Amino acid sequence: MGLALLAVIWLITFVSTYFFIWHPWWLPAGVSASAAAIDHQFVTTYILMGIVFVLAQCSLGLFAWQYRDRGSSAPPVDYSHGNTTMEIVWTVLTGVLFVGLNLMGSKIWAAERFEPAQASAVPVEVTGMQFAWYFRYPGPDGKFGITNPKLMDPSAGSEAAIGLDTSDPAAKDDVVTGTMFLPVNRQVDFTLRAVDVIHSFFIPNMRFKQDAVPGLAIHMHVTPTQIGDYEIACAELCGLGHYKMHGMVKVVSQEDFDKWIAAREAEKQ
Amino acid sequence: MDRRAGGGETIMATSEVVHAHAGPQGFIRKYIFSLDHKVIGIQYFFLALTAVWVGMFLSLLMRIHLIWPQVNLPIVGHIQPETYLSLLTMHGTIMVFFVLTTAPQGGFGNYFLPIQIGAPDMAFPVLNMLSFWTTFVAFVVMLAAFFVTGGAPLHGWTGYPPLSAVQSTGPGEGLGADLWITSIAIFCAASLMGALNFITTTLDLRAKGMTLMRMPLTVWSWFITAILGLLAFGVLLSAGILLLMDRNLGTSFFVPVIVVNGQLMGHKGGSPLLWQHLFWFFGHPEVYIAILPGMGVTSQILSTFARKPIFGYRAMVYAMLGIGFLGFMVWGHHMFMSGMSPYSAFAFSLLTMAIGVPSAIKTFNWLGTLYKGRIRFYTPMLFAVGFVSLFVSGGLSGPFLAQPTLDIPLHDTYFVVGHFHLIMGVAAIFGIFAATYYWFPKMFGRMMNEGLGKAHFWLTFIGTYAIFMPMHYLGMAGHPRRYSQLTEVAYLHNLIPLQTFMTYAAFITIGAQFIFVINLFWSMLKGPKAADNPWDATTVEWTTATPPPHDNFGGQTPVIHNGPYEYGVPGAARDFVMQTDPAVGAAH
């Protein structure tokens, strides 16, 4: 039975580790300025935890087999209540490992969450509702117009869905869309809102995730670094259509972005 | 005699008189409204057994729906996306509250804590009975949510408002959600009664010589779990009442101005994050409420079947105290992406990482206990070794999720689902299985079948790894949790084969649980008669008759002379020295 435990525990360990190393399933390609640092922190954690995982599981399997009851021929057990020196050694080691990992990652978090967006960032307001995302650009005046909950009409879509008050002068040039366009290599200043329940704005390729919470306007920033189309998924349970609350980000050149926004402005006239 | 000792004896004598009650008369007082902690323990055990089959059946329906969304099942019919969300809500709630909280603490804790400390019953037998029947009512109310208009709620076991606070946010958010919250509130009240009883019993009713540092680690684990319960369930109870008020009385604790389906709701000024703080202030300690008794029983069983003292008894006690203490300061690690101040993430993250240290101490000490032992592989031992393996696997994904930076890609993905299922679900369930196989002879007077037990172990061990390990791969690939269909988001299509594999693994694992149930009931009726101490174990429950008499010790109060894990003592007549045997030395 000890041998069977050794075999099965080792097998589970090696098969799991094999898939972790071969990684047919892995983080999607990173296309934002922060992706490299986040991925590096992930891989570091991954390797360190992987080593602990293999060592602990292999020792468990090995001990189960090596110290099985071999009947009367076996040596007597080691009558010991423990070893204080060893307790201190592994307490300190794990303390250093875990706290060290934590401190390593904290710089990335600070860059993501403590620093405000640059003044030159593209402002985009993201609004989540059951079960769609809307994106708003402030237009040439650089100012978002007022929205009013009393005016919200999700069935009408776009401007009406987010309750844009068209009598506000600042609202005249606001552009509201269902697909997000972003210029490449420029920071984006998101304002995240939700009108009904909590949603979570998750762009896996950009290593971006932030809940959108009713009653809060949450500012976040990200810099896309590669032209292409990327999926948005909702990552917070928001009701029966949670699974289909997805959207697209189209990252384009600055030139194409300017053209696109000019065309939308023209449509409004 | 000094005054302190004298005072202690007076208290002891008083509490013995207070709780001493006559043996039960008649069927109803003996088996239904019983005051005997052993009967109540068995009642909790069967409640949890019922609940675990309900919870498991729901998970099976979920796995089937994910892979074959169009299939028409007999009786159940065609599962809609919203039904899937009701299934996951009820699966999570039933498993967390009525299985993982109920079986280890209410079941085994109730039965064995008094016996292991040499007490004739719990400190408050009537409260104990009330605690069980209140839990039972909570379970009935929870199940009722399936059968009302709109069905069970779809807001997940975490019940985040506004989704859970407003009726029009989805089907199931009407009466179903009210029943769900009411059930949890009732459950909290029941758990508070239980927690008070466990704490008082441990502090006041220990037999002569049963010092704190001679208590079995199981007793320590139930004691610490009770303290966690006392501090955590009150908070959830209050939060649940506030949520009910938001839903039915027009208050706005958790709901700001919102528009649902174009309808402006009457709320304003509430904070959805307030619920998350209150919920996780309970929710994180709840994780330890589920797993600590498993740690206790694993320590007990590893020492017993390795025929060796537990490695570092004191370190094990301090580690559990450390886990319990730190467990109250880390709730924010569930909220890194919630919109909470990003500065507080630093503190929550560091404290969460710190929990890794006592957890690692426990793992090392379990390995140290096996080292140079003489391991007897009976079924309880297999499950205890399985617990250690699963605790390591589930624990090591913790340091990923404890880092806010890595929560950016991993939060609310299957990585989290894999993490908590391995550690809080499967490892804790392995603790419950280990406890069942280990204590069944004492509880029911018969032995369970070893062959069936081992078959159950191997299939469950391999099966649960096959279900939950791949969830980590899904999470890394960005698969969000709580998605009822995988068809709408393009990048999920590649992950369907892995999901399919997990569904097949779930079929096999759930099939293996029939072996357990057959073994359980067959052995209860037909198993070979058990001796008083079939495992050559040292703790007090093995000194008394099998099954124990009404007052546990037949009128004799045990006197304790030894620590709980004196195995392989050099020079002793047998390879184990029981806690009630003459003292073997000054070590404990």
Side-chain angles (χ1 to χ4, degrees):
Chain A
M1 200 52 64
L3 190 62
L5 264 180
L6 171 94
V8 170
I9 292 176
W10 282 28
L11 189 70
I12 289 170
T13 306
F14 293 136
V15 170
S16 312
T17 313
Y18 173 75
F19 282 113
F20 277 117
I21 293 174
W22 176 44
H23 60 71
W25 307 283
W26 190 246
L27 300 170
V31 296
S32 71
S34 55
I38 293 173
D39 291 5
H40 180 260
Q41 180 69 13
F42 181 79
V43 171
T44 309
T45 309
Y46 197 75
I47 291 171
L48 290 171
M49 293 304 122
I51 292 169
V52 178
F53 173 71
V54 172
L55 285 180
Q57 298 286 6
C58 286
S59 324
L60 180 65
L62 184 68
F63 288 1
W65 170 69
Q66 196 176 353
Y67 302 114
R68 68 196 184 279
D69 189 359
R70 301 172 199 230
S72 53
S73 64
V77 302
D78 183 22
Y79 178 71
S80 148
H81 286 93
N83 183 324
T84 311
T85 317
M86 282 177 75
E87 296 272 10
I88 292 169
V89 168
W90 58 52
T91 304
V92 172
L93 280 180
T94 47
V96 169
L97 173 68
F98 289 159
V99 173
L101 258 181
N102 179 277
L103 294 178
M104 277 174 62
S106 56
K107 256 189 166 171
I108 309 165
W109 179 253
E112 288 284 299
R113 297 303 213 256
F114 295 178
E115 290 165 17
Q118 298 155 4
S120 60
V122 187
V124 181
E125 183 196 67
V126 178
T127 305
M129 67 184 65
Q130 290 180 330
F131 299 96
W133 296 105
Y134 287 105
F135 309 101
R136 179 155 69 123
Y137 300 79
D141 67 353
K143 275 202 246 168
F144 287 113
I146 296 170
T147 55
N148 184 344
K150 285 182 185 147
L151 301 175
M152 285 180 186
D153 179 8
S155 56
S158 291
E159 292 184 1
I162 65 166
L164 189 66
D165 182 351
T166 43
S167 64
D168 177 21
K172 301 275 185 224
D173 60 349
D174 285 10
V175 169
V176 181
T177 67
T179 298
M180 183 161 66
F181 278 70
L182 296 176
V184 72
N185 292 327
R186 248 185 89 187
Q187 198 176 58
V188 190
D189 179 7
F190 286 131
T191 308
L192 291 153
R193 295 177 188 278
V195 308
D196 39 31
V197 301
I198 301 174
H199 303 275
S200 190
F201 192 60
F202 180 29
I203 315 171
N205 290 95
M206 293 192 189
R207 304 292 181 271
F208 185 91
K209 185 184 289 137
Q210 174 59 52
D211 286 4
V213 184
L216 295 181
I218 298 170
H219 276 272
M220 289 293 301
H221 53 82
V222 69
T223 309
T225 53
Q226 214 167 303
I227 289 173
D229 295 355
Y230 307 105
E231 286 193 284
I232 302 164
C234 180
E236 184 64 67
L237 176 58
C238 58
L240 67 92
H242 175 48
Y243 71 98
K244 58 183 176 191
M245 185 170 166
H246 75 121
M248 290 301 288
V249 194
K250 289 183 178 290
V251 177
V252 295
S253 67
Q254 180 70 48
E255 199 183 19
D256 288 347
F257 178 73
D258 293 339
K259 270 191 218 156
W260 172 79
I261 199 116
R264 297 288 83 72
E265 292 291 350
E267 277 172 17
K268 285 191 63 125
Q269 300 310 317
Chain B
M1 187 186 286
D2 69 22
R3 285 181 57 203
R4 242 181 81 227
E9 290 206 348
T10 315
I11 291 166
M12 197 74 110
T14 317
S15 50
E16 271 173 26
V17 171
V18 167
H19 97 257
H21 47 268
Q25 311 292 326
F27 180 81
I28 291 190
R29 288 317 296 250
K30 202 167 174 183
Y31 296 111
I32 311 291
F33 297 108
S34 173
L35 300 179
D36 186 333
H37 70 100
K38 297 185 289 297
V39 177
I40 296 170
I42 289 174
Q43 289 174 325
Y44 266 115
F45 177 79
F46 281 112
L47 176 66
L49 190 68
T50 311
V52 82
W53 278 86
V54 176
M56 202 166 62
F57 177 66
L58 302 181
S59 67
L60 184 66
L61 294 180
M62 285 157 66
R63 293 292 341 160
I64 290 172
H65 172 76
L66 276 176
I67 304 307
W68 302 287
Q70 303 309 330
V71 74
N72 241 319
L73 293 166
I75 304 166
V76 182
H78 175 226
I79 299 170
Q80 303 291 331
E82 59 268 33
T83 316
Y84 174 86
L85 296 179
S86 297
L87 293 172
L88 79 81
T89 302
M90 296 298 273
H91 165 79
T93 313
I94 289 173
M95 289 299 202
V96 168
F97 290 95
F98 295 99
V99 179
L100 298 176
T101 310
T102 299
Q105 188 79 357
F108 294 108
N110 234 317
Y111 197 111
F112 287 103
L113 183 139
I115 310 187
Q116 285 198 325
I117 60 172
D121 204 321
M122 280 282 186
F124 310 114
V126 176
L127 196 65
N128 204 15
M129 177 187 77
L130 277 177
S131 168
F132 169 75
W133 283 106
T134 312
T135 309
F136 180 79
V137 169
F139 186 58
V140 172
V141 173
M142 182 61 69
L143 291 184
F146 277 117
F147 303 102
V148 296
T149 315
L154 47 65
H155 52 228
W157 88 278
T158 50
Y160 281 10
L163 185 60
S164 62
V166 175
Q167 302 216 354
S168 53
T169 54
E173 292 307 317
L175 186 54
D178 282 321
L179 288 173
W180 180 86
I181 302 163
T182 308
S183 163
I184 288 176
I186 299 171
F187 185 90
C188 290
S191 299
L192 287 174
M193 292 186 236
L196 275 172
N197 217 345
F198 276 64
I199 294 169
T200 316
T201 307
T202 310
L203 292 177
D204 275 357
L205 296 188
R206 277 172 287 129
K208 191 163 186 277
M210 181 59 84
T211 60
L212 289 177
M213 284 298 164
R214 278 183 185 161
M215 294 197 311
L217 289 169
T218 41
V219 175
W220 269 110
S221 71
W222 294 317
F223 178 53
I224 296 168
T225 299
I227 297 171
L228 298 186
L230 189 69
L231 298 172
F233 279 110
V235 176
L236 183 64
L237 176 59
S238 333
I241 291 169
L242 297 185
L243 188 56
L244 276 176
M245 288 169 71
D246 271 11
R247 291 177 56 84
N248 299 305
L249 301 179
T251 56
S252 296
F253 291 104
F254 306 122
V255 191
V257 174
I258 57 169
V259 178
V260 180
N261 298 324
Q263 287 270 278
L264 184 61
M265 296 289 132
H267 300 273
K268 63 179 175 188
S271 162
L273 292 193
L274 173 62
W275 168 267
Q276 297 184 25
H277 282 292
L278 294 173
F279 181 85
W280 289 117
F281 187 83
F282 146 80
H284 202 77
E286 168 61 32
V287 174
Y288 300 111
I289 288 173
I291 196 78
L292 277 171
M295 293 178 173
V297 81
T298 295
S299 305
Q300 169 100 6
I301 290 173
L302 287 182
S303 177
T304 304
F305 292 88
R307 314 308 298 163
K308 248 192 88 193
I310 193 81
F311 190 98
Y313 172 88
R314 275 173 190 270
M316 293 300 244
V317 173
Y318 298 147
M320 283 197 283
L321 286 168
I323 290 170
F325 178 70
L326 289 169
F328 274 102
M329 296 190 288
V330 298
W331 77 89
H333 71 216
H334 297 271
M335 297 172 60
F336 290 147
M337 299 297 124
S338 69
M340 170 184 79
S341 161
Y343 298 99
S344 64
F346 265 145
F348 283 125
S349 168
L350 199 62
L351 287 161
T352 306
M353 284 298 215
I355 291 190
V357 177
S359 307
I361 291 174
K362 298 213 70 97
T363 307
F364 284 128
N365 286 8
W366 287 323
L367 291 174
T369 304
L370 294 178
Y371 178 73
K372 293 196 178 173
R374 270 176 100 159
I375 305 170
R376 299 176 182 172
F377 288 107
Y378 293 101
T379 309
M381 184 59 171
L382 292 177
F383 276 99
V385 171
F387 177 96
V388 177
S389 172
L390 289 156
F391 183 74
V392 169
S393 302
L396 285 172
S397 46
F400 288 81
L401 297 168
Q403 299 181 53
T405 313
L406 300 187
D407 262 30
I408 297 171
L410 299 177
H411 177 74
D412 262 327
T413 68
Y414 265 88
F415 195 90
V416 179
V417 183
H419 164 71
F420 74 71
H421 270 97
L422 274 185
I423 196 146
M424 175 192 191
V426 187
I429 290 275
F430 267 53
I432 297 170
F433 281 139
T436 307
Y437 286 103
Y438 179 67
W439 279 314
F440 182 92
K442 185 56 68 179
M443 294 167 81
F444 299 103
R446 293 175 185 272
M447 303 299 289
M448 286 181 80
N449 183 288
E450 272 295 310
L452 291 177
K454 289 192 164 103
H456 174 225
F457 168 76
W458 291 114
L459 287 169
T460 310
F461 188 59
I462 298 168
T464 46
Y465 264 116
I467 300 169
F468 297 109
M469 198 49 108
M471 288 193 178
H472 299 84
Y473 310 132
L474 293 178
M476 288 190 296
H479 192 328
R481 61 192 285 208
R482 294 166 165 176
Y483 269 32
S484 64
Q485 284 176 28
L486 316 173
T487 46
E488 300 296 313
V489 176
Y491 74 83
L492 298 183
H493 296 173
N494 295 337
L495 302 172
I496 291 176
L498 204 52
Q499 287 276 21
T500 310
F501 170 79
M502 286 152 58
T503 294
Y504 285 118
F507 275 122
I508 294 170
T509 312
I510 290 173
Q513 305 319 305
F514 285 96
I515 303 176
F516 171 70
V517 174
I518 291 167
N519 193 359
L520 190 77
F521 287 104
W522 184 84
S523 303
M524 230 175 260
L525 302 171
K526 302 272 171 175
K529 290 260 193 254
D532 286 348
N533 188 4
W535 310 121
D536 296 342
T538 52
T539 44
V540 178
E541 77 271 32
W542 305 109
T543 62
T544 188
T546 287
H550 175 65
D551 71 345
N552 295 341
F553 302 101
Q556 292 173 322
T557 311
V559 179
I560 310 304
H561 302 286
N562 293 299
Y565 303 115
E566 292 297 331
Y567 293 99
V569 184
R574 320 179 273 194
D575 86 328
F576 63 105
V577 178
M578 302 192 78
Q579 288 199 274
T580 49
D581 287 347
V584 290
H588 277 268

